[in-house]
């Protein structure tokens, strides 16, 4: 392309990173909760953060689950988002979407009972979390 190995390598890496980012944005758009679920996710955020911390500290859960939750907490603590905040709707929602996706995986591996045991909020909040993540509650 440019005739210089290093410039070609740098351009190739930049192109690959851009492509990977675009694929991630498309995946987030497709996985986005529909309707009022996104609003519910943002309303539940304080309880969900406490839930994630409690689940990550639970030594009875599989190590892979705890590692994913630890990585999620690290991502949430970083000031840099995958989708910049100036992008309408998705810019502010990327954290909520990623949390929902990780919690879906946690429920598949650890089960809804583990999530329920660590839930710090109300029963209505847990029902909303169950709707967001798609796992059954005791009432459904």
């Amino acid at each position: 392309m440019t005739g210089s190995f290093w410039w070609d390598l740098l351009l190739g890496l930049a192109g690959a990173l851009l492509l990977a980012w675009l694929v991630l944005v498309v995946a987030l758009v497709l996985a986005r909760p529909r309707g009022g679920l996104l609003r519910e996710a943002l309303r539940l955020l304080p309880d969900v953060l406490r839930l994630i911390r409690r689940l990550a500290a639970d030594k009875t859960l599989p190590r892979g689950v705890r590692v994913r939750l630890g990585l999620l907490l690290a991502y949430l603590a970083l000031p840099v988002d995958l989708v910049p905040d100036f992008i309408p709707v998705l810019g502010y929602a990327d954290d909520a979407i990623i949390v929902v996706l990780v919690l879906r995986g946690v429920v598949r591996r650890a089960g809804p009972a583990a999530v329920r045991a660590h839930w710090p909020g109300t029963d209505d909040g847990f029902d909303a979390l169950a709707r967001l993540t798609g796992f059954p509650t005791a009432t459904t």
Side-chain angles (χ1 to χ4, degrees):
M1 289 179 49
T2 64
S4 168
F5 170 77
W6 294 110
W7 278 112
D8 289 345
L9 181 65
L10 184 63
L11 289 173
L13 286 174
L17 285 173
L18 178 64
L19 181 63
W21 181 80
L22 288 172
V23 167
L24 180 64
V25 168
V26 168
L28 287 175
V29 168
L30 294 175
R32 184 181 81 228
R34 304 290 184 238
L37 288 179
L38 190 56
R39 225 177 346 271
E40 281 187 80
L42 294 174
R43 182 179 55 86
L44 292 173
L45 196 57
D47 287 337
V48 170
L49 290 175
R50 284 194 298 273
L51 171 70
I52 292 168
R53 186 180 46 87
R54 290 177 181 181
L55 286 169
D58 185 354
K59 300 289 186 196
T60 63
L61 294 179
R63 184 186 323 224
V65 168
R66 290 180 298 157
V67 167
R68 272 184 249 153
L69 291 166
L71 290 171
L72 176 63
L73 285 172
Y75 169 75
L76 293 173
L78 290 174
V80 178
D81 284 344
L82 290 174
V83 180
D85 289 338
F86 64 82
I87 296 176
V89 180
L90 196 58
Y92 289 107
D94 66 329
D95 290 342
I97 294 168
I98 290 172
V99 166
V100 167
L101 292 174
V102 170
L103 282 178
R104 284 180 184 170
V106 167
V107 169
R108 275 195 293 271
R109 290 282 318 267
V115 175
R116 181 67 180 128
H118 292 289
W119 178 248
T122 64
D123 289 339
D124 288 339
F126 184 76
D127 290 341
L129 179 72
R131 282 192 307 275
L132 282 169
T133 57
F135 66 83
T137 63
T139 60
T140 60

